[in-house]
Amino acid sequence: MDEAPEPIPVTRTVDCGTAKLLPDVDRPRAWLLTVDGAPQSYVDLDAPTHLEFEYVRRLAFVLDEAAAPGRPLDVLHLGGGALTLPRYLAALRPHSRQDVVEADRGLLALVAEHLPLPGDCGITVHAQDARTALEAAPEGSADVIVADVFGGSRVPAHLTSVEYARAAARVLRPDGCYAANLADGAPFGFLRGQLANFAAVFEHLALIAEPSVLRGRRFGNAVLLASRAPLPIAALARRTAGDAFPARVEHGAALRRLIAGAVPVRDAEAVASPLPPDGAFSVG
């Protein structure tokens, strides 16, 4: 019996640059998606609950703690990539309703062709701008909003304002949670502004990041959480501390010290997140 052919890399020009799908030599149906050399997603079609990137696991912990195990969720994903988290949630919480918003139509076509979704998975993909989709979403329609939107390696400016934070609050249910993947380094001017935005709109905030990032030793990812209801801080702290790449959950007084004198950023003054230093997120 002939063995299946070795998967080969796929390169395609998409709306936001050059996308590559790189096969994982250790997992037969797993792929790394990069755009202009920056890693965007990792998907194992045979094991959708396998999450390779640490920041994606942190977002998954938030989804895990959003409701009792197995209970379906209504989730709005801003930013699609290769649909790693929607696949994860569909596997663990069948009958969830998930809307995924991704502006890059070329990227969506590449993913649909080479990494197709399973049938009847409850995931609907929309080729649309994230802010436009958020402002059009029904009020109180989401249990969780997951934001992981990068134009290249930066969060676009129109997703960094206090008006954007208010739009997210409108779409969430009263006990819903907003979770965003952000990236910054000391002195955290961008991150502090984002925290100020969401502190102006939500009562409860938290930040998940590796200690080396929080101490300003390197540029890296940080997951911002916001809710009008208390967040599951203890459960998230346990899970993030036990990860292969341990992280801390900052909240309360420690987070207020980080925000310090930062003020909310309005649409008129909003800027994209900082450009990562060379090599911060690149794949060789």
Side-chain angles (χ1 to χ4, degrees):
M1 184 175 179
D2 293 337
E3 292 185 5
E6 289 288 326
I8 59 173
V10 178
T11 301
R12 185 174 298 177
T13 299
V14 295
D15 301 6
C16 293
T18 300
K20 293 184 179 182
L21 283 172
L22 305 172
D24 186 334
V25 296
D26 296 320
R27 303 176 74 97
R29 297 184 72 219
W31 297 83
L32 172 68
L33 168 67
T34 69
V35 178
D36 290 342
Q40 297 288 323
S41 302
Y42 179 100
V43 168
D44 187 334
L45 296 175
D46 290 333
T49 60
H50 174 77
L51 305 177
E52 189 76 9
F53 297 165
E54 56 265 27
Y55 84 84
V56 176
R57 292 196 296 274
R58 291 165 198 158
L59 290 168
F61 295 154
V62 176
L63 292 172
D64 291 344
E65 297 298 331
R71 200 197 91 186
L73 292 172
D74 293 336
V75 180
L76 174 61
H77 299 265
L78 303 178
L83 312 177
T84 305
L85 276 176
R87 298 172 200 265
Y88 172 88
L89 193 73
L92 291 182
R93 296 180 181 272
H95 310 298
S96 291
R97 291 184 298 179
Q98 301 188 77
D99 287 288
V100 181
V101 178
E102 171 58 60
D104 192 322
R105 294 174 181 270
L107 183 60
L108 287 178
L110 174 67
V111 171
E113 179 181 346
H114 292 277
L115 307 174
L117 290 167
D120 195 27
C121 61
I123 300 169
T124 304
V125 179
H126 309 266
Q128 197 173 8
D129 171 75
R131 177 82 176 258
T132 302
L134 182 65
E135 291 176 345
E139 182 175 352
S141 58
D143 295 308
V144 183
I145 296 172
V146 177
D148 188 10
V149 185
F150 283 79
S153 55
R154 306 176 74 183
V155 179
H158 67 303
L159 307 181
T160 68
S161 68
V162 69
E163 290 91 342
Y164 165 78
R166 291 193 189 109
R170 183 191 65 83
V171 174
L172 284 171
R173 293 179 176 139
D175 60 349
C177 180
Y178 175 88
N181 175 41
L182 304 174
D184 201 2
F188 301 116
F190 172 74
L191 189 57
R192 291 173 63 242
Q194 295 310 292
L195 289 164
N197 287 345
F198 283 86
V201 179
F202 292 89
E203 183 179 353
H204 300 275
L205 293 184
L207 190 69
I208 306 173
E210 289 182 37
S212 60
V213 173
L214 293 169
R215 293 183 187 125
R217 293 178 181 168
R218 68 176 184 86
F219 190 98
N221 295 97
V223 171
L224 183 154
L225 305 180
S227 180
R228 285 168 289 199
L231 292 161
I233 298 294
L236 291 172
R238 283 194 303 272
R239 300 192 70 169
T240 56
D243 189 64
F245 290 87
R248 285 211 319 259
V249 180
E250 297 281 23
H251 63 102
L255 208 54
R256 289 192 291 273
R257 285 194 296 272
L258 179 60
I259 298 172
V263 297
V265 181
R266 301 191 64 84
D267 274 332
E269 295 85 38
V271 296
S273 64
L275 192 67
D278 287 345
F281 298 128
S282 62
V283 173

